[in-house]
Amino acid sequence: SIIIALPTGEGKSMIFQLVHSVGFVGADQAKTSGVTLVIVPTVALAVNHELEAVEVLGLPRPLAFQGGNDVENGLIAERIASGTQGLCFASPEAACGRLREALRCAAEAGLLRALVIDEAHLVDQWGTGFRTEFQELSGLRRELMSAAPTGQALRTIMLSATLTDSSLETLRSLFGSGSDFESLAAVQLRPEPDYWIAPSASETDRVDRVLEALHHAPRPAVLYVTEVEAADFWFSRLKEEGFRRLRKLHGKTSRAEREDIVGKWRDGMLDIVVGTSAFGLGIDYPHARSVIHACVPETLDRFYQEVGRGGRDGKACLSLIIHTSKDISTAERINSQQVISVERGYHRWLTMFERKLLFGDGQFAVRIDGRPGTDERDIDMFGDANTDWNLRTVVLMARAGLLRLLGTPYPKIQEAGDWLEIEIIDDHHLDMEVWRTRVATVRHEGWIASKRNLDLMRDYLRDDRCPA
């Protein structure tokens, strides 16, 4: 496993394009076929990467696995299984779900070249909270590596522009250890953006300032907000102001509309995009001149990623943040990660482990969609939310060094349920005192890292020291 840290706009996408077109030195993998799976956090980024791969490498569509497109998704799964897909861009949920069987077929044939995690810092920042599949990828990786013929196992490459110490340690604990884990960094503060801060006393004041800025700031421009409702408001307000080359993109934007917006943005046909962070990560267009925030991002990482949409042609660009005190409260709410308590996690683990299936050599299968208990507070707990909390529990244990995630059991378990194979690496995993020390420490470290990232954003807004 290797982590590569490069500034935004410095060519991280070229790395997985090279994996596909050149391969690895000394690898036994087939030269003329193979699959490189690129994990992306948003559909908009998948679409963007697909457009680039088609232009640069001449690959045939579809390359992006997107919800709601069953015909193209089925074709991607077939081509992965046969080793003819080449590049594939998919979410962690798709990789751990619908694409899992196809990926296993490719791995068994020695045709799975690499697992590439784009924006890898999100494994720590998002995977601990609301998208646990980011951390479940470690189990998928082990499953696919163990399925491959000798000498033909996939490589793991993690890419990011903003890696904190916390993110690095999370990636190390999940995707490698010792000599099997390396990192390369060529990070620097990008010189193109000029940073401006304009605090507003009220929402009315902020609206006036944003409108003034968008009438005068160089375009193309991105107006960033945090919530979908704010994106809808600004889109309507800017249309009232007479802006026409204008679109909005957020988490609820349809697949077809996302493709249209990303395509028009990359072709220079839009002056302004109003977006949430769903538009931010990795979207590439070299000539964006202004990035305006009508919000406070919940981390300095997110802010710097979004500022990185501007000036990718190496020429000057503008960063302007226009915020109110209410934005700070919104950022604090989003920054407060939901991590399961030690007591509740321990209770869930006891129940899961009681119902385990034994494979031998310290390896078991636990059912992660089972109810956490039989008392009155647990009896109605089932469905996706319950499965998600069970996953958070085992991921927390993995980060604490109590167990190792091994992926979906193979051959498939015939008993009903959603099963996860694990390997116990500490026999004291059922000891509450171990949970109160080891697991509690991991929880606290995550909380501290998240809080520090928001505190850095606050420091930036106070404008009392150089933002570098």
Side-chain angles (χ1 to χ4, degrees), residues 8 15 46 69 88-89 112 160 168-169 198 222 225 263 289 301 318 339 350 371 375 383 385 389 399 458:
T8 54
I15 292 170
N69 196 344
C88 174
F89 306 102
L112 192 55
S160 180
L168 190 61
E169 286 310 307
V222 183
V225 295
R289 298 270 67 90
D301 285 359
L318 168 72
V339 182
L350 284 181
R371 290 182 175 85
D375 61 28
W389 280 113
R399 293 179 62 193
R458 286 198 188 95

Side-chain angles (χ1 to χ4, degrees), residues 226-227 298 327-338 454:
T226 294
E227 298 178 306
E298 64 276 9
D327 295 329
I328 301 288
S329 300
T330 301
E332 288 173 343
R333 173 175 54 81
I334 294 172
N335 184 268
S336 299
Q337 294 185 15
Q338 281 191 301
L454 177 57

Side-chain angles (χ1 to χ4, degrees), residues 198-203 206 295-296 322-329:
S200 300
S202 66
E203 185 61 32
R206 192 243 295 277
C295 63
V296 172
I322 306 173
H323 63 286
T324 68
S325 57
K326 183 182 177 183
D327 295 329
I328 301 288
S329 300

Side-chain angles (χ1 to χ4, degrees), residues 154-204:
L154 61 88
R155 313 293 179 97
T156 307
I157 301 173
M158 292 156 277
L159 308 173
S160 180
T162 52
L163 272 174
T164 63
D165 289 343
S166 171
S167 297
L168 190 61
E169 286 310 307
T170 296
L171 292 170
R172 187 190 305 276
S173 69
L174 292 173
F175 294 99
S177 61
S179 60
D180 294 331
F181 185 91
E182 299 290 343
S183 62
L184 292 173
V187 291
Q188 60 180 2
L189 190 70
R190 285 188 50 202
E192 298 90 352
D194 201 25
Y195 293 91
W196 292 76
I197 302 166
S200 300
S202 66
E203 185 61 32
T204 301

Side-chain angles (χ1 to χ4, degrees), residues 233-298:
F233 165 79
W234 279 110
F235 180 74
S236 298
R237 189 72 177 80
L238 291 174
K239 286 184 73 174
E240 291 173 9
E241 285 290 310
F243 292 98
R244 290 294 174 262
R245 285 162 51 100
L246 168 75
R247 298 294 290 273
K248 65 176 177 181
L249 193 153
H250 49 62
K252 296 182 180 178
T253 304
S254 70
R255 180 185 61 83
E257 192 174 359
R258 284 172 189 267
E259 291 184 358
D260 185 54
I261 293 168
V262 171
K264 282 187 167 61
W265 175 251
R266 293 181 75 246
D267 292 341
M269 297 172 65
L270 297 174
D271 284 336
I272 300 170
V273 173
V274 181
T276 62
S277 55
F279 182 68
L281 296 158
I283 299 298
D284 192 26
Y285 171 61
H287 309 301
R289 298 270 67 90
S290 300
V291 178
I292 300 172
H293 280 85
C295 63
V296 172
E298 64 276 9

